[in-house]
Amino acid sequence: MPKNKTHSGAKKRIKVTGSGKLLREKAGKRHLLEKKSSHKTRELSGNENVAPQDTGRVKRLLGGL
């Protein structure tokens, strides 16, 4: 049988912590920043946990962690 391949788009976007949590960047901080308030852009910075509903799907994309 061939090996399962890691989804290359997912591995670039999601980081796995030592305890196994999945971290992602928040969406909406790439362009059109002039019209967004400073409060909004600060709120969008940093990492966030992947939603519990999506962790199974994301782990499968990352090679079945």
Side-chain angles (χ1 to χ4, degrees):
M1 286 293 293
K3 296 179 182 177
N4 288 331
K5 292 195 173 182
T6 303
H7 192 282
S8 58
K11 74 181 176 188
K12 293 170 192 172
R13 289 169 171 83
I14 294 158
K15 179 187 172 197
V16 184
T17 63
S19 61
K21 290 181 189 170
L22 301 169
L23 296 178
R24 64 169 180 86
E25 292 279 331
K26 295 180 193 172
K29 206 187 172 192
R30 290 288 179 204
H31 56 87
L32 302 175
L33 295 174
E34 276 188 7
K35 62 177 77 171
K36 292 172 187 160
S37 65
S38 302
H39 174 79
K40 174 57 80 174
T41 53
R42 280 195 309 273
E43 202 176 55
L44 291 171
S45 65
N47 293 329
E48 198 170 76
N49 290 333
V50 172
Q53 300 89 333
D54 297 327
T55 50
R57 189 180 326 149
V58 172
K59 282 183 177 181
R60 198 174 324 125
L61 289 172
L62 293 174
L65 295 170

